[in-house]
Amino acid sequence: MAISAFGMVDIPFQNLSTSTVSQSLDSIPTNSTTVPYQVPFSEVDVIISAVLFVTFLVLGVVGNTLTIAVLVSTNSLKRSIFNQFILSLCISDLVSALISWINLYRRTWGFEHFALPNAFCLVYWGVDIWTSYVTACHILSFAILRYISVISANYMKRITGFYAKIWISVIWFVAFFAGCVPMALFSGARDRDRSSLLPVAKWPSCTQNEEWLVTYIIYSYYAYSIFFYIPIVSVVIVSLLIATTMLKGRKQRTKSLSQVAMIKRRRKEKQAILQLALIVGSFLLGYVPFTELAFEFYTINSTDSGDGALKAEWRFGTFQYICLRFSECLNPVFYNLGSSKLRCETSKFCRRLFGCQDRGSERSTESSVGAETHARPVVYVNAIASGRP
């Protein structure tokens, strides 16, 4: 049995049962050990993780805020259903970035004693899982919508902005009650008895409470499968279906469309594939390690429970969370790379924000006034020559 960097006991889910976990916990003696306890990280680990976390926090806040501002302020972009989902994704990533510093604190300076109010611990666990569920469902919805647009443009037109907003609202609502509420209930900040042999002894101060451990493991088994594993597999399958459908349709359209129309069509298809590939790629980069697909394999097959194993698990767990934060920084960049319209409007918004467009408009106004001034004498002379006033 290995201690996870998430603060939970890693047990193979295929052997999971309430009685098994309860017996495992009850069989652990509660007496103290003589082995001195050491935190599973060094000062170098803290510095490196702090620099990366703070950097990604700033980039995530700036990038997602900028994309949100562009989408909200541009009417032509707001009408697109895909952009509505991108807007909601940016809000999810922004909220997740704003609370990421709590994870940095609980893993480093607050590992032994969580000096912040307990509400910060509850907010972190609840909101972090909430936004993670929202992001996973959004990516799957985005892929499904893209597939619908490929197989039937007429049916895609029936999905109006009103239905898209309902769709997005349902995702946020379900994810809140399925993720935020239970995780906040399971979690808490308290000082751990590091001399105890209980599994909770090596956990961070802010983590899941031992009285909810059995329920939490069962919950993770079902909830992670529904909101993480199924969306990940489904997104890959839908993306492959989109690629194969586009290739088949391209062969059929070669006979019916002109060369100019074919070029425009292929350009739009490449843009759509690029946008989906970038979004899905970023999603997989952040959430495959986050869902512990790699971390679970490591902890299950690791038989070492010494200080070296705890340090390795701490670094592995910190690394997977850094991947999640990094993907959230990449998302606004990928949104712009995958959409020429969004990229153009972002460029215009930045020029307006920094006053570049105002100076350019002043130059164009001055040049037009100058051209009109130089043209007046010629017009006036021609008018006199023709006898007109």
Side-chain angles (χ1 to χ4, degrees), residues 358-387:
D358 293 336
R359 289 194 295 269
S361 61
E362 289 177 1
R363 294 193 196 100
S364 61
T365 303
E366 291 175 358
S367 60
S368 62
V369 171
E372 182 181 356
T373 304
H374 290 296
R376 279 178 181 175
V378 178
V379 175
Y380 184 70
V381 170
N382 291 337
I384 295 177
S386 60

Side-chain angles (χ1 to χ4, degrees), residues 257-269:
L257 296 178
S258 63
Q259 186 175 2
V260 176
M262 179 60 67
I263 293 174
K264 292 182 179 180
R265 181 75 180 186
R266 288 186 177 181
R267 187 181 303 165
K268 291 182 179 179
E269 290 178 352

Side-chain angles (χ1 to χ4, degrees), residues 126 129 133 175-187 212 216 219 223:
I129 295 297
Y133 287 179
F176 176 79
F177 286 99
C180 183
V181 173
M183 287 303 297
L185 179 65
F186 299 150
S187 308
W212 287 99
Y216 168 69
Y219 163 82

Side-chain angles (χ1 to χ4, degrees), residues 60-61 64 86 88-98 131 135 172 282 287 324-325 327-329 331-332 335:
V61 170
N64 286 289
I86 289 178
S88 186
L89 276 169
C90 287
I91 295 174
S92 176
D93 289 342
L94 176 61
V95 173
S96 183
L98 289 173
T131 55
T135 298
W172 280 91
S282 177
Y287 281 87
L324 181 61
R325 299 279 78 81
S327 69
E328 292 174 354
C329 296
N331 283 340
Y335 298 153

Side-chain angles (χ1 to χ4, degrees), residues 77-350:
L77 294 177
K78 287 191 294 185
R79 289 192 291 267
S80 171
I81 295 177
F82 295 103
N83 287 337
Q84 291 184 23
F85 277 87
I86 289 178
L87 174 61
S88 186
L89 276 169
C90 287
I91 295 174
S92 176
D93 289 342
L94 176 61
V95 173
S96 183
L98 289 173
I99 65 168
S100 62
W101 66 271
I102 303 179
N103 186 61
L104 170 64
Y105 177 76
R106 64 176 286 271
R107 283 185 169 276
T108 54
W109 305 289
F111 190 90
E112 291 298 306
H113 176 68
F114 196 80
L116 299 174
N118 185 52
F120 281 84
C121 181
L122 303 183
V123 167
Y124 164 73
W125 281 106
V127 175
D128 187 65
I129 295 297
W130 182 20
T131 55
S132 298
Y133 287 179
V134 167
T135 298
C137 293
H138 272 62
I139 298 298
L140 177 58
S141 300
F142 192 92
I144 293 174
L145 286 172
R146 184 62 72 184
Y147 180 65
I148 293 175
S149 66
V150 170
I151 61 176
S152 177
N154 293 329
Y155 189 76
M156 187 65 192
K157 292 179 181 179
R158 300 178 184 178
I159 305 176
T160 62
F162 175 76
Y163 293 116
K165 291 177 182 178
I166 294 178
W167 190 337
I168 293 171
S169 300
V170 169
I171 290 176
W172 280 91
F173 181 82
V174 172
F176 176 79
F177 286 99
C180 183
V181 173
M183 287 303 297
L185 179 65
F186 299 150
S187 308
R190 62 180 65 171
D191 292 339
R192 310 294 173 180
D193 183 9
R194 301 306 185 186
S195 62
S196 173
L197 290 178
L198 289 171
V200 72
K202 302 300 187 295
W203 296 355
S205 177
C206 170
T207 188
Q208 279 68 57
N209 294 323
E210 58 268 29
E211 60 267 24
W212 287 99
L213 181 60
V214 175
T215 306
Y216 168 69
I217 294 176
I218 297 175
Y219 163 82
S220 300
Y221 175 72
Y222 292 104
Y224 278 25
S225 298
I226 295 172
F227 290 98
F228 287 137
Y229 302 136
I230 292 177
I232 287 175
V233 175
S234 300
V235 162
V236 174
I237 294 175
V238 173
S239 300
L240 293 176
L241 289 175
I242 292 173
T244 54
T245 303
M246 283 186 172
L247 290 176
K248 291 180 180 179
R250 181 176 297 180
K251 294 179 181 179
Q252 297 176 357
R253 289 190 299 269
T254 303
K255 302 177 181 180
S256 59
L257 296 178
S258 63
Q259 186 175 2
V260 176
M262 179 60 67
I263 293 174
K264 292 182 179 180
R265 181 75 180 186
R266 288 186 177 181
R267 187 181 303 165
K268 291 182 179 179
E269 290 178 352
K270 289 181 179 179
Q271 198 76 16
I273 292 176
L274 175 62
Q275 186 183 50
L276 180 62
L278 291 174
I279 293 176
V280 171
S282 177
F283 169 67
L284 295 177
L285 171 65
Y287 281 87
V288 168
F290 177 74
T291 53
E292 300 188 58
L293 293 177
F295 189 77
E296 188 74 19
F297 175 82
Y298 169 79
T299 53
I300 289 175
N301 291 276
S302 176
T303 58
D304 187 5
S305 59
D307 293 339
L310 294 177
K311 290 180 180 180
E313 290 177 9
W314 184 92
R315 292 173 181 175
F316 203 165
T318 302
F319 169 76
Q320 57 84 18
Y321 200 78
I322 288 175
C323 288
L324 181 61
R325 299 279 78 81
F326 180 58
S327 69
E328 292 174 354
C329 296
L330 290 178
N331 283 340
V333 179
F334 286 168
Y335 298 153
N336 282 272
L337 290 177
S339 174
S340 57
K341 292 181 180 179
L342 179 58
R343 187 167 60 249
C344 179
E345 293 298 331
T346 301
S347 178
K348 291 179 181 179
F349 184 88
C350 291

